[in-house]
């Protein structure tokens, strides 16, 4: 139905937007699951990160990816 309103070139231009949207959604779900199952965070930290990720969507997931996840040196206990 959409193809009737748009030509082939317009649909071809929309494809990268669809792919970017799909990838950001997958990344968002991945970070949300990671925050929920992260054993390096206390319960209150998990709750805060989950709320941040849910309400800020991709931006919150990106912040969690760079700030919230424990680093390799933090995960190793001596």
């Amino acid at each position: 139905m959409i193809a009737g309103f748009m030509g082939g070139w317009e649909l071809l231009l929309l494809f990268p937007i669809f792919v970017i949207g799909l990838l950001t959604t997958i990344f968002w779900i991945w970070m949300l699951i990671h925050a929920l199952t992260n054993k390096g965070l206390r319960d209150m930290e998990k709750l805060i990160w989950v709320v941040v990720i849910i309400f800020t969507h991709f931006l919150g997931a990106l912040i969690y990816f760079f700030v919230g996840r424990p680093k390799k040196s933090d995960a190793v206990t001596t």
Side-chain angles (χ1 to χ4, degrees):
M1 174 138 180
I2 293 175
F5 297 115
M6 304 173 105
W9 288 106
E10 287 87 1
L11 287 176
L12 188 62
L13 293 175
L14 289 177
F15 183 71
I17 296 171
F18 172 75
V19 170
I20 291 170
L22 183 65
L23 291 175
T24 57
T25 302
I26 291 170
F27 178 74
W28 180 76
I29 293 170
W30 175 37
M31 289 297 104
L32 187 60
I33 291 171
H34 190 279
L36 285 169
T37 59
N38 189 347
K39 296 194 185 308
L41 296 175
R42 294 184 299 248
D43 289 338
M44 186 56 77
E45 290 174 321
K46 283 183 186 183
L47 177 65
I48 292 170
W49 276 117
V50 167
V51 168
V52 166
I53 293 170
I54 287 175
F55 286 114
T56 59
H57 298 280
F58 179 70
L59 182 62
L62 202 60
I63 293 169
Y64 174 76
F65 182 79
F66 287 111
V67 177
R69 295 185 321 145
K71 306 297 182 263
K72 295 275 186 198
S73 61
D74 294 344
V76 176
T77 56
T78 56

